[in-house]
Amino acid sequence: MASNPTTTTTSSGASASTLLQNSGSEEDLQNVMDQRKLKRMRSNRESARRSRQRKQKHVDDLIAQVGFLRKENSQILSRLNITTQHYLKLQSENLTLRSEVLDLTAKLHSLTNTLHYIEEISGLVMDIPQIPDPLLKPWQLPCINQPIMASADMFQY
């Protein structure tokens, strides 16, 4: 009978003290469990706080990156617009130069024909070079080698 702590016996006072010790240890056990629960709650709260801080830092970093990328995109678009303007200007100049080449080639052919006519009439032998067609082989046109003058601002982009 004394081995069962939950039963009370009137024959000895030892079983009553065992009952009191058990209830005391149950209270101690409850206190230990409550302390563990509080410690776990604090730990969870701290972990959640750190997690929120990491998330906020990540969001802030992403916002900063979006700002940087938008600024970089704006700069690239600006450079693209400037380059496009230069391209259109050069394309226009190129068309003008091609037109001038065709006009000058037509004049050269006319002058060459005149020289051939004079050669036939006078009987003189002249060394008249053959003029290639500028549209078929423009790189073979006879011309004086002149350096190409480019504006300095064209190469800064």
Side-chain angles (χ1 to χ4, degrees):
M1 273 196 242
S3 64
N4 189 352
T6 57
T7 60
T8 56
T9 58
T10 57
S11 63
S12 72
S15 62
S17 66
T18 306
L19 182 62
L20 286 176
Q21 286 178 350
N22 274 346
S23 69
S25 66
E26 285 178 16
E27 287 176 10
D28 289 341
L29 185 62
Q30 186 65 33
N31 284 339
V32 168
M33 290 176 69
D34 287 344
Q35 287 176 356
R36 286 182 183 168
K37 186 176 180 181
L38 282 174
K39 185 178 176 183
R40 192 171 56 248
M41 276 181 25
R42 288 180 188 141
S43 174
N44 287 346
R45 285 180 182 162
E46 182 62 25
S47 177
R49 185 185 65 78
R50 287 191 310 265
S51 177
R52 285 190 301 272
Q53 284 178 341
R54 279 193 308 271
K55 182 178 178 182
Q56 184 62 45
K57 183 182 181 318
H58 183 65
V59 168
D60 291 344
D61 290 346
L62 289 175
I63 289 171
Q65 187 177 12
V66 164
F68 173 78
L69 291 174
R70 283 186 177 162
K71 181 179 176 183
E72 187 177 19
N73 190 28
S74 173
Q75 291 172 348
I76 289 171
L77 285 174
S78 175
R79 289 193 315 243
L80 177 65
N81 287 336
I82 291 170
T83 304
T84 302
Q85 289 173 358
H86 281 285
Y87 170 76
L88 292 174
K89 180 182 173 186
L90 290 174
Q91 187 179 28
S92 172
E93 289 176 13
N94 194 15
L95 288 173
T96 303
L97 291 173
R98 285 180 192 269
S99 174
E100 286 179 22
V101 165
L102 291 175
D103 290 343
L104 291 173
T105 303
K107 287 180 183 179
L108 185 59
H109 280 293
S110 174
L111 290 173
T112 304
N113 288 338
T114 304
L115 285 175
H116 283 295
Y117 181 71
I118 292 173
E119 183 180 52
E120 287 177 15
I121 293 176
S122 68
L124 295 174
V125 177
M126 292 186 220
D127 187 21
I128 303 172
Q130 290 288 22
I131 307 298
D133 186 359
L135 296 177
L136 297 178
K137 297 181 181 177
W139 57 89
Q140 293 181 350
L141 286 175
C143 61
I144 300 171
N145 289 335
Q146 293 180 350
I148 297 174
M149 298 299 205
S151 59
D153 62 341
M154 182 173 81
F155 294 109
Q156 71 185 0
Y157 302 102

mmCIF file with all atom_site columns, all heavy atoms in Angstrom, residues 26-44:
data_model
loop_
_atom_site.group_PDB
_atom_site.id
_atom_site.type_symbol
_atom_site.label_atom_id
_atom_site.label_alt_id
_atom_site.label_comp_id
_atom_site.label_asym_id
_atom_site.label_entity_id
_atom_site.label_seq_id
_atom_site.pdbx_PDB_ins_code
_atom_site.Cartn_x
_atom_site.Cartn_y
_atom_site.Cartn_z
_atom_site.occupancy
_atom_site.B_iso_or_equiv
_atom_site.pdbx_formal_charge
_atom_site.auth_seq_id
_atom_site.auth_comp_id
_atom_site.auth_asym_id
_atom_site.auth_atom_id
_atom_site.pdbx_PDB_model_num
ATOM 1   N N   . GLU A 1 26 ? 5.207  17.720 -8.946  1.00 0.00 ? 26 GLU A N   1
ATOM 2   C CA  . GLU A 1 26 ? 4.346  18.044 -10.080 1.00 0.00 ? 26 GLU A CA  1
ATOM 3   C C   . GLU A 1 26 ? 4.331  19.547 -10.314 1.00 0.00 ? 26 GLU A C   1
ATOM 4   O O   . GLU A 1 26 ? 4.361  20.014 -11.456 1.00 0.00 ? 26 GLU A O   1
ATOM 5   C CB  . GLU A 1 26 ? 2.924  17.531 -9.832  1.00 0.00 ? 26 GLU A CB  1
ATOM 6   C CG  . GLU A 1 26 ? 2.777  16.043 -10.000 1.00 0.00 ? 26 GLU A CG  1
ATOM 7   C CD  . GLU A 1 26 ? 1.365  15.563 -9.702  1.00 0.00 ? 26 GLU A CD  1
ATOM 8   O OE1 . GLU A 1 26 ? 0.444  16.402 -9.664  1.00 0.00 ? 26 GLU A OE1 1
ATOM 9   O OE2 . GLU A 1 26 ? 1.202  14.356 -9.517  1.00 0.00 ? 26 GLU A OE2 1
ATOM 10  N N   . GLU A 1 27 ? 4.318  20.312 -9.216  1.00 0.00 ? 27 GLU A N   1
ATOM 11  C CA  . GLU A 1 27 ? 4.384  21.767 -9.352  1.00 0.00 ? 27 GLU A CA  1
ATOM 12  C C   . GLU A 1 27 ? 5.741  22.178 -9.929  1.00 0.00 ? 27 GLU A C   1
ATOM 13  O O   . GLU A 1 27 ? 5.806  23.062 -10.789 1.00 0.00 ? 27 GLU A O   1
ATOM 14  C CB  . GLU A 1 27 ? 4.161  22.441 -7.996  1.00 0.00 ? 27 GLU A CB  1
ATOM 15  C CG  . GLU A 1 27 ? 2.729  22.381 -7.520  1.00 0.00 ? 27 GLU A CG  1
ATOM 16  C CD  . GLU A 1 27 ? 2.569  22.978 -6.132  1.00 0.00 ? 27 GLU A CD  1
ATOM 17  O OE1 . GLU A 1 27 ? 3.542  23.607 -5.627  1.00 0.00 ? 27 GLU A OE1 1
ATOM 18  O OE2 . GLU A 1 27 ? 1.494  22.833 -5.562  1.00 0.00 ? 27 GLU A OE2 1
ATOM 19  N N   . ASP A 1 28 ? 6.806  21.523 -9.438  1.00 0.00 ? 28 ASP A N   1
ATOM 20  C CA  . ASP A 1 28 ? 8.133  21.815 -9.984  1.00 0.00 ? 28 ASP A CA  1
ATOM 21  C C   . ASP A 1 28 ? 8.185  21.457 -11.463 1.00 0.00 ? 28 ASP A C   1
ATOM 22  O O   . ASP A 1 28 ? 8.730  22.208 -12.275 1.00 0.00 ? 28 ASP A O   1
ATOM 23  C CB  . ASP A 1 28 ? 9.222  21.030 -9.227  1.00 0.00 ? 28 ASP A CB  1
ATOM 24  C CG  . ASP A 1 28 ? 9.434  21.561 -7.823  1.00 0.00 ? 28 ASP A CG  1
ATOM 25  O OD1 . ASP A 1 28 ? 9.024  22.720 -7.560  1.00 0.00 ? 28 ASP A OD1 1
ATOM 26  O OD2 . ASP A 1 28 ? 10.033 20.834 -7.008  1.00 0.00 ? 28 ASP A OD2 1
ATOM 27  N N   . LEU A 1 29 ? 7.627  20.309 -11.786 1.00 0.00 ? 29 LEU A N   1
ATOM 28  C CA  . LEU A 1 29 ? 7.590  19.884 -13.193 1.00 0.00 ? 29 LEU A CA  1
ATOM 29  C C   . LEU A 1 29 ? 6.797  20.880 -14.034 1.00 0.00 ? 29 LEU A C   1
ATOM 30  O O   . LEU A 1 29 ? 7.226  21.259 -15.131 1.00 0.00 ? 29 LEU A O   1
ATOM 31  C CB  . LEU A 1 29 ? 6.981  18.481 -13.297 1.00 0.00 ? 29 LEU A CB  1
ATOM 32  C CG  . LEU A 1 29 ? 6.972  17.853 -14.681 1.00 0.00 ? 29 LEU A CG  1
ATOM 33  C CD1 . LEU A 1 29 ? 8.388  17.664 -15.189 1.00 0.00 ? 29 LEU A CD1 1
ATOM 34  C CD2 . LEU A 1 29 ? 6.247  16.515 -14.633 1.00 0.00 ? 29 LEU A CD2 1
ATOM 35  N N   . GLN A 1 30 ? 5.696  21.354 -13.503 1.00 0.00 ? 30 GLN A N   1
ATOM 36  C CA  . GLN A 1 30 ? 4.887  22.352 -14.209 1.00 0.00 ? 30 GLN A CA  1
ATOM 37  C C   . GLN A 1 30 ? 5.672  23.656 -14.381 1.00 0.00 ? 30 GLN A C   1
ATOM 38  O O   . GLN A 1 30 ? 5.651  24.271 -15.440 1.00 0.00 ? 30 GLN A O   1
ATOM 39  C CB  . GLN A 1 30 ? 3.571  22.600 -13.441 1.00 0.00 ? 30 GLN A CB  1
ATOM 40  C CG  . GLN A 1 30 ? 2.607  23.510 -14.168 1.00 0.00 ? 30 GLN A CG  1
ATOM 41  C CD  . GLN A 1 30 ? 2.100  22.900 -15.458 1.00 0.00 ? 30 GLN A CD  1
ATOM 42  O OE1 . GLN A 1 30 ? 1.939  21.692 -15.576 1.00 0.00 ? 30 GLN A OE1 1
ATOM 43  N NE2 . GLN A 1 30 ? 1.891  23.746 -16.451 1.00 0.00 ? 30 GLN A NE2 1
ATOM 44  N N   . ASN A 1 31 ? 6.402  24.058 -13.316 1.00 0.00 ? 31 ASN A N   1
ATOM 45  C CA  . ASN A 1 31 ? 7.219  25.273 -13.399 1.00 0.00 ? 31 ASN A CA  1
ATOM 46  C C   . ASN A 1 31 ? 8.315  25.122 -14.451 1.00 0.00 ? 31 ASN A C   1
ATOM 47  O O   . ASN A 1 31 ? 8.578  26.043 -15.230 1.00 0.00 ? 31 ASN A O   1
ATOM 48  C CB  . ASN A 1 31 ? 7.852  25.594 -12.034 1.00 0.00 ? 31 ASN A CB  1
ATOM 49  C CG  . ASN A 1 31 ? 6.859  26.196 -11.067 1.00 0.00 ? 31 ASN A CG  1
ATOM 50  O OD1 . ASN A 1 31 ? 5.836  26.724 -11.495 1.00 0.00 ? 31 ASN A OD1 1
ATOM 51  N ND2 . ASN A 1 31 ? 7.155  26.114 -9.780  1.00 0.00 ? 31 ASN A ND2 1
ATOM 52  N N   . VAL A 1 32 ? 8.961  23.954 -14.484 1.00 0.00 ? 32 VAL A N   1
ATOM 53  C CA  . VAL A 1 32 ? 10.016 23.705 -15.471 1.00 0.00 ? 32 VAL A CA  1
ATOM 54  C C   . VAL A 1 32 ? 9.425  23.756 -16.876 1.00 0.00 ? 32 VAL A C   1
ATOM 55  O O   . VAL A 1 32 ? 9.997  24.366 -17.794 1.00 0.00 ? 32 VAL A O   1
ATOM 56  C CB  . VAL A 1 32 ? 10.714 22.352 -15.201 1.00 0.00 ? 32 VAL A CB  1
ATOM 57  C CG1 . VAL A 1 32 ? 11.593 21.942 -16.373 1.00 0.00 ? 32 VAL A CG1 1
ATOM 58  C CG2 . VAL A 1 32 ? 11.520 22.423 -13.926 1.00 0.00 ? 32 VAL A CG2 1
ATOM 59  N N   . MET A 1 33 ? 8.255  23.128 -17.036 1.00 0.00 ? 33 MET A N   1
ATOM 60  C CA  . MET A 1 33 ? 7.608  23.137 -18.353 1.00 0.00 ? 33 MET A CA  1
ATOM 61  C C   . MET A 1 33 ? 7.202  24.553 -18.755 1.00 0.00 ? 33 MET A C   1
ATOM 62  O O   . MET A 1 33 ? 7.360  24.959 -19.911 1.00 0.00 ? 33 MET A O   1
ATOM 63  C CB  . MET A 1 33 ? 6.398  22.199 -18.357 1.00 0.00 ? 33 MET A CB  1
ATOM 64  C CG  . MET A 1 33 ? 6.790  20.735 -18.282 1.00 0.00 ? 33 MET A CG  1
ATOM 65  S SD  . MET A 1 33 ? 5.390  19.628 -18.184 1.00 0.00 ? 33 MET A SD  1
ATOM 66  C CE  . MET A 1 33 ? 4.698  19.806 -19.786 1.00 0.00 ? 33 MET A CE  1
ATOM 67  N N   . ASP A 1 34 ? 6.698  25.339 -17.792 1.00 0.00 ? 34 ASP A N   1
ATOM 68  C CA  . ASP A 1 34 ? 6.328  26.717 -18.079 1.00 0.00 ? 34 ASP A CA  1
ATOM 69  C C   . ASP A 1 34 ? 7.558  27.537 -18.466 1.00 0.00 ? 34 ASP A C   1
ATOM 70  O O   . ASP A 1 34 ? 7.504  28.351 -19.394 1.00 0.00 ? 34 ASP A O   1
ATOM 71  C CB  . ASP A 1 34 ? 5.641  27.355 -16.865 1.00 0.00 ? 34 ASP A CB  1
ATOM 72  C CG  . ASP A 1 34 ? 4.229  26.831 -16.643 1.00 0.00 ? 34 ASP A CG  1
ATOM 73  O OD1 . ASP A 1 34 ? 3.682  26.215 -17.594 1.00 0.00 ? 34 ASP A OD1 1
ATOM 74  O OD2 . ASP A 1 34 ? 3.679  27.038 -15.542 1.00 0.00 ? 34 ASP A OD2 1
ATOM 75  N N   . GLN A 1 35 ? 8.679  27.309 -17.760 1.00 0.00 ? 35 GLN A N   1
ATOM 76  C CA  . GLN A 1 35 ? 9.914  28.028 -18.095 1.00 0.00 ? 35 GLN A CA  1
ATOM 77  C C   . GLN A 1 35 ? 10.393 27.650 -19.499 1.00 0.00 ? 35 GLN A C   1
ATOM 78  O O   . GLN A 1 35 ? 10.821 28.516 -20.268 1.00 0.00 ? 35 GLN A O   1
ATOM 79  C CB  . GLN A 1 35 ? 10.997 27.731 -17.053 1.00 0.00 ? 35 GLN A CB  1
ATOM 80  C CG  . GLN A 1 35 ? 10.747 28.418 -15.726 1.00 0.00 ? 35 GLN A CG  1
ATOM 81  C CD  . GLN A 1 35 ? 11.778 28.019 -14.681 1.00 0.00 ? 35 GLN A CD  1
ATOM 82  O OE1 . GLN A 1 35 ? 12.629 27.167 -14.935 1.00 0.00 ? 35 GLN A OE1 1
ATOM 83  N NE2 . GLN A 1 35 ? 11.687 28.639 -13.512 1.00 0.00 ? 35 GLN A NE2 1
ATOM 84  N N   . ARG A 1 36 ? 10.325 26.370 -19.813 1.00 0.00 ? 36 ARG A N   1
ATOM 85  C CA  . ARG A 1 36 ? 10.726 25.928 -21.156 1.00 0.00 ? 36 ARG A CA  1
ATOM 86  C C   . ARG A 1 36 ? 9.811  26.545 -22.227 1.00 0.00 ? 36 ARG A C   1
ATOM 87  O O   . ARG A 1 36 ? 10.266 26.958 -23.293 1.00 0.00 ? 36 ARG A O   1
ATOM 88  C CB  . ARG A 1 36 ? 10.688 24.403 -21.259 1.00 0.00 ? 36 ARG A CB  1
ATOM 89  C CG  . ARG A 1 36 ? 11.816 23.734 -20.542 1.00 0.00 ? 36 ARG A CG  1
ATOM 90  C CD  . ARG A 1 36 ? 11.750 22.241 -20.726 1.00 0.00 ? 36 ARG A CD  1
ATOM 91  N NE  . ARG A 1 36 ? 12.793 21.570 -19.973 1.00 0.00 ? 36 ARG A NE  1
ATOM 92  C CZ  . ARG A 1 36 ? 12.859 20.279 -19.754 1.00 0.00 ? 36 ARG A CZ  1
ATOM 93  N NH1 . ARG A 1 36 ? 11.909 19.490 -20.253 1.00 0.00 ? 36 ARG A NH1 1
ATOM 94  N NH2 . ARG A 1 36 ? 13.835 19.763 -19.075 1.00 0.00 ? 36 ARG A NH2 1
ATOM 95  N N   . LYS A 1 37 ? 8.529  26.575 -21.910 1.00 0.00 ? 37 LYS A N   1
ATOM 96  C CA  . LYS A 1 37 ? 7.568  27.144 -22.841 1.00 0.00 ? 37 LYS A CA  1
ATOM 97  C C   . LYS A 1 37 ? 7.858  28.631 -23.055 1.00 0.00 ? 37 LYS A C   1
ATOM 98  O O   . LYS A 1 37 ? 7.856  29.126 -24.194 1.00 0.00 ? 37 LYS A O   1
ATOM 99  C CB  . LYS A 1 37 ? 6.146  26.943 -22.306 1.00 0.00 ? 37 LYS A CB  1
ATOM 100 C CG  . LYS A 1 37 ? 5.055  27.370 -23.249 1.00 0.00 ? 37 LYS A CG  1
ATOM 101 C CD  . LYS A 1 37 ? 3.688  27.038 -22.662 1.00 0.00 ? 37 LYS A CD  1
ATOM 102 C CE  . LYS A 1 37 ? 2.576  27.464 -23.593 1.00 0.00 ? 37 LYS A CE  1
ATOM 103 N NZ  . LYS A 1 37 ? 1.257  27.180 -23.024 1.00 0.00 ? 37 LYS A NZ  1
ATOM 104 N N   . LEU A 1 38 ? 8.134  29.372 -21.972 1.00 0.00 ? 38 LEU A N   1
ATOM 105 C CA  . LEU A 1 38 ? 8.481  30.791 -22.080 1.00 0.00 ? 38 LEU A CA  1
ATOM 106 C C   . LEU A 1 38 ? 9.776  30.980 -22.869 1.00 0.00 ? 38 LEU A C   1
ATOM 107 O O   . LEU A 1 38 ? 9.883  31.871 -23.721 1.00 0.00 ? 38 LEU A O   1
ATOM 108 C CB  . LEU A 1 38 ? 8.633  31.407 -20.679 1.00 0.00 ? 38 LEU A CB  1
ATOM 109 C CG  . LEU A 1 38 ? 7.347  31.735 -19.940 1.00 0.00 ? 38 LEU A CG  1
ATOM 110 C CD1 . LEU A 1 38 ? 7.647  32.199 -18.512 1.00 0.00 ? 38 LEU A CD1 1
ATOM 111 C CD2 . LEU A 1 38 ? 6.573  32.806 -20.681 1.00 0.00 ? 38 LEU A CD2 1
ATOM 112 N N   . LYS A 1 39 ? 10.752 30.127 -22.583 1.00 0.00 ? 39 LYS A N   1
ATOM 113 C CA  . LYS A 1 39 ? 12.032 30.216 -23.295 1.00 0.00 ? 39 LYS A CA  1
ATOM 114 C C   . LYS A 1 39 ? 11.822 29.954 -24.793 1.00 0.00 ? 39 LYS A C   1
ATOM 115 O O   . LYS A 1 39 ? 12.368 30.658 -25.642 1.00 0.00 ? 39 LYS A O   1
ATOM 116 C CB  . LYS A 1 39 ? 13.010 29.199 -22.710 1.00 0.00 ? 39 LYS A CB  1
ATOM 117 C CG  . LYS A 1 39 ? 14.387 29.280 -23.296 1.00 0.00 ? 39 LYS A CG  1
ATOM 118 C CD  . LYS A 1 39 ? 15.322 28.274 -22.638 1.00 0.00 ? 39 LYS A CD  1
ATOM 119 C CE  . LYS A 1 39 ? 16.686 28.294 -23.287 1.00 0.00 ? 39 LYS A CE  1
ATOM 120 N NZ  . LYS A 1 39 ? 17.573 27.291 -22.705 1.00 0.00 ? 39 LYS A NZ  1
ATOM 121 N N   . ARG A 1 40 ? 11.016 28.949 -25.091 1.00 0.00 ? 40 ARG A N   1
ATOM 122 C CA  . ARG A 1 40 ? 10.714 28.639 -26.486 1.00 0.00 ? 40 ARG A CA  1
ATOM 123 C C   . ARG A 1 40 ? 9.956  29.787 -27.164 1.00 0.00 ? 40 ARG A C   1
ATOM 124 O O   . ARG A 1 40 ? 10.236 30.154 -28.294 1.00 0.00 ? 40 ARG A O   1
ATOM 125 C CB  . ARG A 1 40 ? 9.919  27.333 -26.571 1.00 0.00 ? 40 ARG A CB  1
ATOM 126 C CG  . ARG A 1 40 ? 9.795  26.779 -27.986 1.00 0.00 ? 40 ARG A CG  1
ATOM 127 C CD  . ARG A 1 40 ? 9.205  25.377 -28.028 1.00 0.00 ? 40 ARG A CD  1
ATOM 128 N NE  . ARG A 1 40 ? 7.904  25.288 -27.383 1.00 0.00 ? 40 ARG A NE  1
ATOM 129 C CZ  . ARG A 1 40 ? 7.650  24.625 -26.251 1.00 0.00 ? 40 ARG A CZ  1
ATOM 130 N NH1 . ARG A 1 40 ? 8.626  23.972 -25.651 1.00 0.00 ? 40 ARG A NH1 1
ATOM 131 N NH2 . ARG A 1 40 ? 6.453  24.600 -25.735 1.00 0.00 ? 40 ARG A NH2 1
ATOM 132 N N   . MET A 1 41 ? 9.006  30.398 -26.445 1.00 0.00 ? 41 MET A N   1
ATOM 133 C CA  . MET A 1 41 ? 8.253  31.533 -26.992 1.00 0.00 ? 41 MET A CA  1
ATOM 134 C C   . MET A 1 41 ? 9.192  32.708 -27.279 1.00 0.00 ? 41 MET A C   1
ATOM 135 O O   . MET A 1 41 ? 9.120  33.336 -28.339 1.00 0.00 ? 41 MET A O   1
ATOM 136 C CB  . MET A 1 41 ? 7.155  31.979 -26.018 1.00 0.00 ? 41 MET A CB  1
ATOM 137 C CG  . MET A 1 41 ? 5.873  31.180 -26.142 1.00 0.00 ? 41 MET A CG  1
ATOM 138 S SD  . MET A 1 41 ? 4.534  31.686 -25.013 1.00 0.00 ? 41 MET A SD  1
ATOM 139 C CE  . MET A 1 41 ? 4.836  33.348 -24.615 1.00 0.00 ? 41 MET A CE  1
ATOM 140 N N   . ARG A 1 42 ? 10.084 32.989 -26.312 1.00 0.00 ? 42 ARG A N   1
ATOM 141 C CA  . ARG A 1 42 ? 11.049 34.082 -26.522 1.00 0.00 ? 42 ARG A CA  1
ATOM 142 C C   . ARG A 1 42 ? 11.950 33.791 -27.713 1.00 0.00 ? 42 ARG A C   1
ATOM 143 O O   . ARG A 1 42 ? 12.221 34.672 -28.534 1.00 0.00 ? 42 ARG A O   1
ATOM 144 C CB  . ARG A 1 42 ? 11.875 34.297 -25.263 1.00 0.00 ? 42 ARG A CB  1
ATOM 145 C CG  . ARG A 1 42 ? 11.111 34.935 -24.141 1.00 0.00 ? 42 ARG A CG  1
ATOM 146 C CD  . ARG A 1 42 ? 11.977 35.129 -22.916 1.00 0.00 ? 42 ARG A CD  1
ATOM 147 N NE  . ARG A 1 42 ? 11.185 35.565 -21.785 1.00 0.00 ? 42 ARG A NE  1
ATOM 148 C CZ  . ARG A 1 42 ? 11.371 35.148 -20.548 1.00 0.00 ? 42 ARG A CZ  1
ATOM 149 N NH1 . ARG A 1 42 ? 12.336 34.301 -20.258 1.00 0.00 ? 42 ARG A NH1 1
ATOM 150 N NH2 . ARG A 1 42 ? 10.599 35.600 -19.580 1.00 0.00 ? 42 ARG A NH2 1
ATOM 151 N N   . SER A 1 43 ? 12.409 32.553 -27.778 1.00 0.00 ? 43 SER A N   1
ATOM 152 C CA  . SER A 1 43 ? 13.285 32.155 -28.885 1.00 0.00 ? 43 SER A CA  1
ATOM 153 C C   . SER A 1 43 ? 12.560 32.278 -30.226 1.00 0.00 ? 43 SER A C   1
ATOM 154 O O   . SER A 1 43 ? 13.116 32.769 -31.209 1.00 0.00 ? 43 SER A O   1
ATOM 155 C CB  . SER A 1 43 ? 13.768 30.717 -28.674 1.00 0.00 ? 43 SER A CB  1
ATOM 156 O OG  . SER A 1 43 ? 14.503 30.269 -29.776 1.00 0.00 ? 43 SER A OG  1
ATOM 157 N N   . ASN A 1 44 ? 11.299 31.842 -30.244 1.00 0.00 ? 44 ASN A N   1
ATOM 158 C CA  . ASN A 1 44 ? 10.503 31.948 -31.478 1.00 0.00 ? 44 ASN A CA  1
ATOM 159 C C   . ASN A 1 44 ? 10.273 33.410 -31.864 1.00 0.00 ? 44 ASN A C   1
ATOM 160 O O   . ASN A 1 44 ? 10.345 33.760 -33.043 1.00 0.00 ? 44 ASN A O   1
ATOM 161 C CB  . ASN A 1 44 ? 9.162  31.229 -31.323 1.00 0.00 ? 44 ASN A CB  1
ATOM 162 C CG  . ASN A 1 44 ? 9.309  29.717 -31.341 1.00 0.00 ? 44 ASN A CG  1
ATOM 163 O OD1 . ASN A 1 44 ? 10.356 29.203 -31.719 1.00 0.00 ? 44 ASN A OD1 1
ATOM 164 N ND2 . ASN A 1 44 ? 8.270  29.026 -30.907 1.00 0.00 ? 44 ASN A ND2 1
#
